[in-house]
Amino acid sequence: MDHKIIAALERISQAFRVLLWNESKELGLTPIQIQTLIFLRHHSVEKRKISYLATELGVTKATISETVKTLLEKALIGKEYDPQDSRSFVIRLTPEGKKIAKQTGFFAGHIEKPIGRLEDADKETLFKSLTGIVHHLNQAGVIGIQRMCFTCAYYAQDRDGTPHFCKLMNIPLRTQDLRIDCPEHAPLH
Ligand code: SF4
């Protein structure tokens, strides 16, 4: 059974690559350019920097610098320089970049459909299992930054009679409330 689950996850991963590639081809962009635009659309200003993007997308700074250069040439992004440090800048989407990021954000629609048909209890079990795998991969150093509850300084286990608790919002978290990309995430030191 373990091997069958791994084989199924591998197929799903392949499906993500194919769907992203199809989307990229239609727009004349590369998959990493599309992923960069989608990330910029959904994340706050302090995360829209070259080094953060490189870690987030699991590529080198040189690759992201090249991606940013091309997206600038295509006028899909712009730079905002730090007034205190002229070498430091954050990246923002242009109106055209926002349009493409919005359009391509649905590239995984074919994967969403079968998930949408699952019973709520099955979704919860699947989510719990997948977050456990993501957490393990993060702890093992296979994947980089994860803004999930399990790696957050505000997360507490087994508090106030609940298995999960957010100390920032001061509320218990049900399994379906656990986050995997939380804007308030504070990394553990
Ligand atoms: S701040 Fe966000 S990531 Fe951290 S425990 Fe609360 S909900 Fe989870």
Side-chain angles (χ1 to χ4, degrees), residues 21-166:
W21 187 245
N22 290 344
E23 195 77 34
S24 313
K25 269 193 299 187
E26 266 182 39
L27 293 160
L29 297 168
T30 63
I32 189 79
Q33 288 165 5
I34 297 262
Q35 285 175 297
T36 301
L37 294 177
I38 293 172
F39 181 84
L40 292 172
R41 178 171 178 234
H42 293 289
H43 293 88
S44 54
V45 71
E46 71 278 4
K47 299 184 179 80
R48 291 193 257 124
K49 294 184 173 175
I50 296 276
S51 51
Y52 199 97
L53 276 165
T55 314
E56 171 74 24
L57 300 176
V59 293
T60 62
K61 272 193 193 177
T63 302
I64 279 295
S65 297
E66 194 55 38
T67 302
V68 165
K69 189 169 159 246
T70 310
L71 292 173
L72 281 166
E73 285 165 5
K74 288 176 183 275
L76 297 177
I77 59 169
K79 286 180 179 176
E80 277 170 19
Y81 283 93
D82 182 343
Q84 313 298 326
D85 177 2
S86 61
R87 287 165 309 168
S88 174
F89 64 89
V90 293
I91 305 159
R92 58 167 173 77
L93 290 171
T94 61
E96 184 61 17
K98 272 186 202 158
K99 201 172 111 193
I100 291 184
K102 192 173 174 193
Q103 182 185 337
T104 54
F106 299 108
F107 81 92
H110 281 296
I111 298 172
E112 275 183 45
K113 270 185 205 158
I115 294 173
R117 288 198 288 265
L118 293 175
E119 297 291 337
D120 286 350
D122 292 336
K123 281 184 194 172
E124 192 175 319
T125 305
L126 181 61
F127 180 64
K128 197 173 166 185
S129 306
L130 292 175
T131 48
I133 294 170
V134 171
H135 185 214
H136 170 84
L137 292 172
N138 173 246
Q139 298 299 294
V142 179
I143 48 175
I145 312 163
Q146 298 301 318
R147 292 171 294 277
M148 63 195 310
C149 292
F150 297 150
T151 61
C152 179
Y154 295 122
Y155 174 74
Q157 228 174 355
D158 295 326
R159 187 167 135 175
D160 295 354
T162 57
H164 314 289
F165 194 89
C166 175

Side-chain angles (χ1 to χ4, degrees), residues 146-156 164-171 173 177-187:
Q146 298 301 318
R147 292 171 294 277
M148 63 195 310
C149 292
F150 297 150
T151 61
C152 179
Y154 295 122
Y155 174 74
H164 314 289
F165 194 89
C166 175
K167 292 185 279 182
L168 178 69
M169 296 187 279
N170 203 29
I171 52 166
L173 301 168
D177 300 324
L178 290 170
R179 294 184 180 177
I180 55 167
D181 191 3
C182 176
E184 276 82 41
H185 179 269

